[in-house]
Amino acid sequence: MRSVIGYLVCLFVGLTIVFTFLPRPEAAPADDPLRADRVQVNALLALEPRVLAVGERGSILFSDNQGASWQPAVVEPQREVALTAVVALDHQRLLAVGHDGWILRSDDAGQHWREVRHDDQLGEPLLGVWAASADRVLAYGSFGKFYQSDDAGATWRPLALDIDSAHLNGMDGGEDGRRMLVGEQGLVLRSRDAGAHWQALPAFYNGSLFGIVRLSASDWVTYGMRGHVFVSHDFGEHWRQVQVGNALPLYGHARLPGGGLVIVGAGSSVVRLDARGELASATRIAGHGTLTSATMVGSRLLLGGEQGVFVEPAGNLATLDKQEAFR
């Protein structure tokens, strides 16, 4: 028995030595283009010409060739928790938010990021960020978390909303002080005075709303669970459902040149609305799973989701001009 054990030990040592001296494949150069289809993307931002994508495990990618290739940004410290949204204050100053109340800031158009806020005790996510001006920014998220910064994201203070700890998912507004916030259980909040006072609108839908878009001072669109899309032409006094023929959740949107928008979601859903919020087309892009975000880069529609970032297959909006029923 001892001889058998001794033989096995010698064999193990010999194999270890052989493995140690086997030739290894050369490591890929650090500046090789990153595979942007290997990371889940939660939000996109177009700066012209730069495009940024944020997503899982603290990933921040940037592209200077309209999404043809991507490079990883430097994030310090790297918490490796999901980032959910990104916004530009100007062409150099950017903010990104995510889980654990994480807030990052960049002063060089997204190549380098530093942490300005983090709270791993509660572990609750921030789900969105919106810039009212170059210095005033609002971040929002789970359980009614609502923060304001008046110094371009350097410091933050909490704001109170009477919403019974509902999750806040989307926000939009304009320079005239008209703003809206949407969230779970059909929550819609409206402000006419740049957020000094908020009014909860009567519920017109009992499911979660994930996004809100201001098309004009009067025309607004909101969307969310089970393919629900609603449009208002009187700043939220009345809402009408837009029938898109889709029962899958819708998660993100992009404004289109000349007005209108594209809304994307589960099952590679793509819904296009005109400048008044009326349905222009509804289709699916096969093989890309859940879409979370979109942005226009020149004439190209860039899409992000569980399979990373990719260009809409036709390379432009031509295929979205055809009305197609969901299958």
Side-chain angles (χ1 to χ4, degrees):
M1 176 63 71
R2 291 181 178 175
S3 61
V4 172
I5 294 175
Y7 173 76
L8 291 175
V9 169
C10 291
L11 178 62
F12 175 77
V13 172
L15 290 174
T16 301
I17 294 172
V18 171
F19 178 78
T20 300
F21 290 99
L22 280 175
R24 301 287 196 276
E26 292 185 6
D31 58 353
D32 267 8
L34 187 70
R35 288 288 299 274
D37 58 348
R38 299 289 179 88
V39 60
Q40 177 173 318
V41 169
N42 296 325
L44 294 168
L45 176 65
L47 289 178
E48 296 293 348
R50 177 163 292 178
V51 190
L52 288 105
V54 304
E56 65 176 328
R57 299 184 63 181
S59 301
I60 302 182
L61 316 177
F62 66 91
S63 171
D64 289 327
N65 54 10
Q66 297 191 329
S69 61
W70 296 82
Q71 298 294 329
V74 176
V75 179
E76 296 178 344
Q78 177 53 269
R79 301 283 184 178
E80 294 198 351
V81 297
L83 292 168
T84 57
V86 59
V87 70
L89 308 183
D90 51 41
H91 278 283
Q92 293 296 315
R93 299 182 300 168
L94 315 178
L95 293 170
V97 303
H99 288 213
D100 294 348
W102 202 21
I103 301 178
L104 299 168
R105 173 172 160 154
S106 172
D107 293 313
D108 61 1
Q111 287 188 245
H112 298 84
W113 297 78
R114 60 180 176 82
E115 179 180 292
V116 295
R117 186 182 185 278
H118 181 253
D119 181 6
D120 59 357
Q121 298 300 311
L122 291 177
E124 295 173 352
L126 293 171
L127 301 173
V129 59
W130 182 77
S133 67
D135 294 308
R136 178 162 295 177
V137 197
L138 295 122
Y140 50 87
S142 62
F143 303 105
K145 296 293 182 295
F146 196 39
Y147 300 98
Q148 179 169 310
S149 172
D150 296 313
D151 53 12
T155 60
W156 297 82
R157 59 185 174 90
L159 300 179
L161 292 174
D162 186 15
I163 56 173
D164 195 26
S165 296
H167 300 332
L168 299 171
N169 299 323
M171 183 176 182
D172 204 359
E175 295 181 356
D176 59 0
R178 292 189 173 195
R179 299 177 184 176
M180 284 200 197
L181 263 169
V182 298
E184 66 176 339
Q185 298 179 354
L187 175 68
V188 180
L189 300 176
R190 178 177 64 183
S191 176
R192 298 180 182 274
D193 54 9
H197 301 87
W198 291 93
Q199 171 194 11
L201 300 183
F204 53 87
Y205 173 56
N206 61 6
S208 290
L209 296 169
F210 295 131
I212 180 78
V213 189
R214 172 183 164 135
L215 298 176
S216 71
S218 299
D219 300 324
W220 296 70
V221 170
T222 185
Y223 56 87
M225 289 297 294
R226 296 187 292 277
H228 282 83
V229 178
F230 301 92
V231 62
S232 172
H233 298 301
D234 51 14
F235 186 38
E237 289 295 325
H238 305 88
W239 295 87
R240 173 176 55 82
Q241 184 175 355
V242 180
Q243 299 292 339
V244 301
N246 176 15
L248 297 173
L250 299 168
Y251 293 122
H253 69 271
R255 297 178 183 273
L256 300 177
L261 68 151
V262 163
I263 306 174
V264 299
S268 300
S269 308
V270 180
V271 175
R272 183 180 180 185
L273 305 181
D274 66 19
R276 287 268 294 169
E278 303 302 328
L279 183 66
S281 65
T283 187
R284 291 184 187 177
I285 298 173
H288 289 284
T290 294
L291 302 177
T292 61
S293 48
T295 191
M296 290 297 301
V297 180
S299 63
R300 308 197 315 162
L301 180 64
L302 216 61
L303 299 171
E306 64 177 331
Q307 296 185 15
V309 189
F310 64 96
V311 178
E312 189 275 327
N316 52 46
L317 295 177
T319 57
L320 299 183
D321 289 331
K322 298 180 181 178
Q323 181 81 19
E324 296 185 28
F326 278 90
R327 295 186 291 273

